[in-house]
Structure formats: structure tokens, C-alpha cells
């Protein structure tokens, strides 16, 4: 039998310092991260929730007008704990790194460089790397007992695990290094010698990317040269932090075939990277107040009422009752399908603890809604 995921035990444990929520889009991952953060805070912990998902739901549900790169205090949190929330600003985080690790004049040259501006605003992989950078910064500040990370939707949620090697490979890449070679070799004779080969290379690349871009890249990499090692080193430290004791990954899914297939991908990927998986949060599970009334019996009763209603003087009442019975039958069929889907996942991953979170009657849009989700997470 699959073990139950004990969320309260996880967040009450002072040794738990980082909780990472990952999963595909549309499964309630952001809400789960916010609910866990609120519940932990109201149970006495000092918590910050970092969302990488650009959705604004987190701010709204916490009563904040907006979220940005600075942790903001959430008001009306009960208990002795504290809750803050923030949303990753990729460019601002990149700017912070440059300002912290470069001389003022060099930092200004980097941030004014057109290639840097493009890279920091949306280069592939930059968001994932900056998420690692921000997580490392938050952990190093040591202001919070617990950091809850809400990752981007879909499989890109785990791309940040590749961030150290991906960005490091780009910054240390042969083409990037080759482009900066002329700037690093002293003397005019050396420049002339290199320019013969470089002319062929940059001439070809210039036709593809544009001569101005190559100039911007050369200037950018020359300015960033002293920071290359620091980028990879910090990302590697955060990567090791994710693998260490005190970190827990939660895979969030809905009780649907596609969502649980994505969940299986996350479980496999985390296992391959030896990341500490705490368990699966199965969101929006359907339930009923009359589980003893099977779908078959409800449908049979509905048919009998409909037949009887055609022969009585009160057909409307019997038609209404029949309609309710059919809705109940449909709910029972959905529950049976969800149970089969869940059981298939559990049969493949019997060692992954699961907590089921019953569906709420409406959307979560405030702290009371997050508390309701937290109550269900805690069982």
C-alpha cells in the first residue's frame, strides 16, 4: 500500500529548509506552493515563497497588489510565524549578479551592452539559471527558516537542474572564446595573424547574425571574462544545495492520465539526478458525500423516476430528482476513473508517498482559500 505524504511533518521539521514544487501546467502548483508557505508560517516558521511562474495568482491570493524581485510581507498571517512572497525578475537578478561581482565601471559597461540586455531579458536558459541564482541568494541570506519554490509549468520546471552546465557551456563555449581571442592577445603582429583566421570566421558568422551582434558579443564577453568562473561556481553550489539534506521536492499533479504521465517524468528525472523527492501531491481529487450509492444504482433509480414521472401529476419533481441522481452517477464514474489512474501510478512508483487534496467548490483567491488547501494538504 502506498504511504501517505505527511505534509505537516515535512514543514514542521526545522531541518527542512527548502521545498521545491514542480509539475505540469494547470495542476494547481502555484496554489500548492502558496498554501504550503502559508501553512508553514501559521505553524510558526519564517517562510518566503519564490515563484518563477509569471502568473499573478500568487500575489492576488496573498492579498498583495504585485510581486517582484524583493520579498514582500504577507499580512493577516495567524500564529507566530511570518510569510513573505516574491516573483523572480530575471533581468534584475542578472543585474544584481553583475553589480555584486564586477567593478562599478565594468558593471556599467556590461549592463549597457546590447548583447547583455538581450541575454538578461530572455536568452534560452537564462530564467532557469537566474532561478538558481536567486535561490542561492535567499538561502545565503539565512533570513528564513523555509524557502518554498514554485517552478515554471511543464517540463521546463526541471530545466534549472541543467542551468549550471548549460549556461557554463555557453559562456565557456569555443565560439564565444574564439570571438574574444583578438582582444586577449597583445601586440599588432599577433592581431594581424589572428585577424586572418578570425576574418573568415566572423565574416561567415556576421552574414548569419550581423556584424553588430558579433561586436556586441565580443565586447560583452571581454567585460564578463572575470565573472565566468563565478557563474558556474555559484550555480554548482545551488545545485548541490538542492541535493542536500533539508531540501524536499514535491511533484504536483491532477488525477488525470496526462498530468500523471508528466508526474512520472518528474519522478524519474529527480531520481536520475539523485534529488530528494518527498512525494506526490494529487490535486483536485473528486469526492462525494454519498459513496455508498454506486453509479449503477443511481442510474437505475434515475431511469425509474423518469418512467414514473411520465405517469404522475408531478413530473417536474421526479425529473429534478432523476437529474441529481445522474449527476451523482457521473461524479462516481469520474471518481472511479481517477482512482484507476492513481492506482496505475502507485503500482509503478510504490515508494512515492501521496497526499490527495479534494477539489474545492471554487477558485482560490484569498488567504482563506489557501488555508482550506493547506488543511487538505495536512489531512
Amino acid at each position: 500500500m502506498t504511504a501517505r505524504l505527511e505534509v505537516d511533518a515535512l514543514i514542521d521539521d526545522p531541518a527542512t529548509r527548502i521545498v521545491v514544487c514542480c509539475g505540469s501546467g494547470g495542476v494547481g502548483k502555484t496554489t500548492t506552493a502558496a498554501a504550503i508557505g502559508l501553512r508553514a508560517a501559521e505553524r510558526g516558521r519564517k517562510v518566503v515563497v519564490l515563484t518563477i511562474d509569471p502568473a499573478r495568482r500568487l500575489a492576488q491570493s496573498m492579498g498583495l497588489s504585485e510581486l517582484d524581485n524583493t520579498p514582500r510581507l504577507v499580512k493577516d498571517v495567524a500564529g507566530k510565524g511570518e510569510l513573505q512572497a516574491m516573483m523572480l525578475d530575471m533581468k534584475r537578478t542578472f543585474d544584481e549578479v553583475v553589480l555584486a561581482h564586477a567593478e562599478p565601471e565594468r558593471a556599467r559597461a556590461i549592463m549597457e551592452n546590447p548583447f547583455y540586455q538581450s541575454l538578461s531579458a530572455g536568452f534560452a536558459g537564462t530564467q532557469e539559471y537566474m532561478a538558481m541564482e536567486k535561490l542561492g541568494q535567499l538561502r545565503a541570506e539565512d533570513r528564513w527558516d523555509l524557502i518554498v519554490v514554485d517552478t515554471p509549468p511543464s517540463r521546463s520546471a526541471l530545466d534549472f537542474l541543467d542551468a549550471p552546465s548549460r549556461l557554463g557551456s555557453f559562456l565557456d563555449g569555443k565560439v564565444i572564446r574564439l570571438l574574444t581571442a583578438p582582444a586577449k592577445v597583445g601586440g599588432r603582429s599577433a592581431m594581424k595573424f589572428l585577424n586572418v583566421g578570425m576574418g573568415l570566421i566572423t565574416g561567415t558568422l556576421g552574414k548569419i547574425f550581423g556584424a553588430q551582434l558579433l561586436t556586441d558579443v565580443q565586447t560583452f564577453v571581454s567585460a564578463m571574462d572575470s565573472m565566468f568562473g563565478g557563474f558556474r561556481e555559484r550555480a554548482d553550489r545551488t545545485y548541490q544545495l538542492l541535493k542536500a539534506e533539508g531540501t524536499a521536492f514535491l511533484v504536483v499533479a491532477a488525477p488525470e492520465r496526462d498530468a500523471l504521465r508528466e508526474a512520472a517524468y518528474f519522478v524519474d528525472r529527480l531520481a536520475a539526478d539523485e534529488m530528494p523527492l518527498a512525494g506526490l501531491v494529487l490535486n483536485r481529487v473528486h469526492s462525494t458525500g454519498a459513496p455508498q450509492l454506486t453509479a449503477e444504482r443511481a442510474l437505475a433509480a434515475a431511469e425509474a423516476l423518469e418512467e414514473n414521472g411520465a405517469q404522475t401529476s408531478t413530473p417536474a419533481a421526479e425529473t429534478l430528482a432523476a437529474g441529481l441522481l445522474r449527476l451523482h452517477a457521473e461524479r462516481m464514474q469520474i471518481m472511479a476513473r481517477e482512482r484507476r489512474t492513481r492506482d496505475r501510478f502507485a503500482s509503478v512508483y510504490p515508494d512515492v508517498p501521496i497526499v490527495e487534496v479534494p477539489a474545492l467548490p471554487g477558485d482560490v483567491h484569498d488567504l482563506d482559500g489557501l488555508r482550506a488547501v493547506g488543511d487538505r494538504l495536512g489531512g
Side-chain angles (χ1 to χ4, degrees):
M1 182 177 178
T2 301
R4 186 182 188 281
L5 172 60
E6 300 293 342
V7 173
D8 283 350
L10 178 70
I11 61 177
D12 287 347
D13 185 353
T16 303
R17 301 299 302 273
I18 298 173
V19 172
V20 182
C21 296
C22 54
S24 57
V27 297
K29 183 168 47 62
T30 300
T31 300
T32 298
I36 287 174
L38 177 62
R39 189 169 181 84
E42 296 193 331
R43 294 171 73 89
R45 302 201 66 179
K46 193 172 182 179
V47 187
V48 61
V49 176
L50 166 64
T51 182
I52 306 170
D53 186 347
R56 305 290 173 179
R57 295 188 304 276
L58 186 63
Q60 295 168 355
S61 64
M62 292 184 169
L64 299 172
S65 59
E66 62 177 348
L67 287 179
D68 56 22
N69 218 42
T70 302
R72 294 175 179 268
L73 183 68
V74 178
K75 299 178 181 179
D76 300 322
V77 173
K80 297 181 180 180
E82 181 181 293
L83 177 62
Q84 296 186 351
M86 62 182 297
M87 183 167 68
L88 178 72
D89 184 325
M90 184 170 61
K91 187 178 188 317
R92 186 171 166 188
T93 301
F94 212 146
D95 290 348
E96 290 172 357
V97 174
V98 173
L99 289 169
H101 297 91
E103 298 294 329
E105 187 174 335
R106 183 180 288 261
R108 186 173 65 255
I110 292 171
M111 291 195 295
E112 290 176 355
N113 183 275
F115 181 75
Y116 168 79
Q117 292 171 2
S118 298
L119 177 72
S120 60
F123 197 83
T126 307
Q127 183 186 50
E128 290 77 22
Y129 176 83
M130 287 305 142
M132 294 278 281
E133 182 73 37
K134 180 55 67 176
L135 175 58
Q137 288 177 6
L138 293 174
R139 186 66 181 85
E141 286 184 41
D142 205 26
R143 289 169 52 193
W144 300 276
D145 298 330
L146 179 64
I147 302 170
V148 181
V149 182
D150 167 39
T151 56
S154 192
R155 294 189 173 189
S156 62
L158 291 182
D159 282 353
F160 66 86
L161 298 179
D162 297 323
S165 59
R166 183 180 300 172
L167 195 74
S169 296
F170 166 73
L171 294 174
D172 295 334
K174 291 181 179 178
V175 172
I176 294 294
R177 288 298 183 184
L178 190 57
L179 289 173
T180 61
K184 296 178 184 178
V185 179
R188 292 185 178 181
S189 59
M191 281 295 293
K192 289 179 181 179
F193 176 76
L194 278 172
N195 278 341
V196 175
M198 285 298 297
L200 295 173
I201 296 171
T202 57
T204 303
L205 293 176
K207 293 177 182 177
I208 300 173
F209 299 112
Q212 184 58 49
L213 174 61
L214 291 182
T215 301
D216 292 339
V217 171
Q218 285 180 325
T219 306
F220 164 75
V221 178
S222 296
M224 290 282 285
D225 187 51
S226 62
M227 297 177 60
F228 282 161
F231 270 96
R232 175 172 279 176
E233 183 182 335
R234 286 191 305 279
D236 284 339
R237 279 203 303 266
T238 306
Y239 183 84
Q240 294 304 318
L241 182 65
L242 290 173
K243 298 179 72 169
E245 291 184 14
T247 298
F249 281 81
L250 294 177
V251 176
V252 183
E256 301 162 0
R257 185 177 60 182
D258 289 346
L260 280 171
R261 185 183 297 123
E262 287 293 297
Y265 163 80
F266 288 120
V267 171
D268 290 340
R269 175 66 202 276
L270 291 169
D273 282 47
E274 299 181 341
M275 294 291 170
L277 173 64
L280 173 74
V281 175
L282 200 58
N283 256 339
R284 301 170 187 163
V285 177
H286 287 84
S287 59
T288 177
Q292 70 281 1
L293 180 58
T294 65
E296 293 75 16
R297 288 174 59 192
L299 287 173
E303 290 174 3
L305 280 170
E306 288 167 348
E307 290 176 2
N308 191 51
Q311 303 170 9
T312 65
S313 58
T314 58
E318 305 218 2
T319 300
L320 177 60
L324 291 174
L325 284 166
R326 288 187 180 279
L327 284 175
H328 175 78
E330 183 179 344
R331 171 62 65 91
M332 294 298 288
Q333 290 167 346
I334 291 172
M335 288 171 56
R337 184 169 64 247
E338 290 178 350
R339 190 162 52 249
R340 288 194 300 271
T341 305
R342 173 196 181 279
D343 290 346
R344 278 198 296 271
F345 177 90
S347 67
V348 179
Y349 302 97
D351 297 329
V352 176
I354 299 175
V355 61
E356 295 187 12
V357 181
L360 293 174
D363 291 334
V364 175
H365 53 79
D366 56 18
L367 288 181
D368 286 339
L370 290 176
R371 287 190 186 99
V373 174
D375 289 342
R376 286 160 170 77
L377 282 165

